[in-house]
Amino acid sequence: DGGITQSPKYLFRKEGQNVTLSCEQNLNHDAMYWYRQDPGQGLRLIYYSQIVNDFQKGDIAEGYSVSREKKESFPLTVTSAQKNPTAFYLCASSPGTSSGNTIYFGEGSWLTVV
Amino acid sequence: SQQGEEDPQALSIQEGENATMNCSYKTSINNLQWYRQNSGRGLVHLILIRSNEREKHSGRLRVTLDTSKKSSSLLITASRAADTASYFCATEPYNTNAGKSTFGDGTTLTVKP
């Protein structure tokens, strides 16, 4: 089946640890995105990538890092510098970033700091 | 920076009734898209309306866009319990691209059987 796979679904992080959320897509999309969603709120863009080996900061990039070594993969690392990382993280992709492209979402990953 | 704001924040109706939710935005846009999110899941795209369009239909969904008022509405007719979800608008600012789209905080719709 074509789609976006995020793993793990639930992740617990101890304070001071870095954790990495995986995102893989088999839609052959050029663009990929990471969003953060806090309870009862909308989505905020962390990073996006228009093409392999390129990525750009979104509105809340501090404390996060990404890589885009392969077209299919866009992992997100939540570093210890992110002071309030507990949230729902959504990975997404689109065919490109030109105007009107629909953004397709994965099922999300819950990250909790313990 | 978020641009779209949905209204109301929460809406509760009986099955069979129509549900209307609104989205207002501040600056000119290329297009506006509506998405649906079931609790704890990813978002699913519903419909896109471009800035030169005024109304679009898809099944039981009707979307309108008033660029002079910088607002859009999503109407779900003959609602079903399965329509229970949060609904978000995403606005693509004028002269930018899909990567610059911003999402509102959503309207949570509850349809009672």
Side-chain angles (χ1 to χ4, degrees):
Chain A
D1 287 352
I4 301 169
T5 301
Q6 289 186 238
S7 63
K9 180 69 177 179
Y10 300 96
L11 186 60
F12 298 90
R13 189 194 95 169
K14 292 182 181 178
E15 292 206 19
Q17 275 186 339
N18 293 354
V19 292
T20 297
L21 305 180
S22 169
C23 178
E24 303 279 329
Q25 55 101 357
N26 61 4
L27 300 169
N28 200 33
H29 285 173
D30 283 326
M32 296 187 75
Y33 312 78
W34 275 105
Y35 294 90
R36 170 180 171 142
Q37 186 178 30
D38 291 285
Q41 296 188 27
L43 280 62
R44 292 183 289 169
L45 183 65
I46 304 173
Y47 270 99
Y48 73 102
S49 168
Q50 294 180 289
I51 200 165
V52 174
N53 292 324
D54 176 74
F55 48 84
Q56 287 153 55
K57 292 182 179 180
D59 298 319
I60 56 165
E62 186 175 348
Y64 300 97
S65 67
V66 293
S67 63
R68 186 89 187 276
E69 296 175 3
K70 296 188 299 182
K71 186 174 185 177
E72 307 80 33
S73 179
F74 192 41
L76 173 74
T77 296
V78 185
T79 75
S80 57
Q82 172 47 242
K83 296 306 177 190
N84 185 22
T86 295
F88 188 52
Y89 290 87
L90 286 157
C91 179
S93 71
S94 62
T97 54
S98 57
S99 180
N101 263 281
T102 295
I103 298 174
Y104 297 83
F105 287 82
E107 288 295 298
S109 293
W110 291 95
L111 173 62
T112 303
V113 173
V114 296
Chain B
S1 56
Q2 288 186 293
Q3 179 170 220
E5 290 185 7
E6 289 90 344
D7 169 64
Q9 285 187 324
L11 181 61
S12 181
I13 59 174
Q14 293 293 136
E15 208 165 28
E17 293 180 340
N18 295 344
T20 299
M21 51 207 90
N22 305 295
C23 171
S24 59
Y25 56 92
K26 298 188 176 91
T27 61
S28 297
I29 59 173
N30 290 333
N31 59 69
L32 184 148
Q33 304 194 50
W34 284 93
Y35 290 80
R36 166 198 167 118
Q37 183 182 35
N38 285 14
S39 182
R41 308 290 296 274
L43 278 70
V44 174
H45 181 257
L46 296 175
I47 199 163
L48 176 151
I49 187 163
R50 300 187 190 281
S51 61
N52 61 353
E53 297 175 311
R54 292 296 165 258
E55 187 170 313
K56 284 189 84 168
H57 297 255
S58 177
R60 294 184 295 112
L61 305 180
R62 173 178 168 249
V63 169
T64 61
L65 179 64
D66 186 335
T67 53
S68 66
K69 294 181 179 177
K70 292 187 170 58
S71 69
S72 173
S73 67
L74 171 67
L75 167 69
I76 304 174
T77 59
S79 63
R80 305 166 183 167
D83 293 328
T84 294
S86 293
Y87 292 82
F88 295 88
C89 66
T91 51
E92 183 184 299
Y94 176 70
N95 214 25
T96 66
N97 57 54
K100 301 294 185 185
S101 292
T102 60
F103 291 78
D105 286 342
T107 292
T108 299
L109 172 66
T110 302
V111 181
K112 300 174 187 174

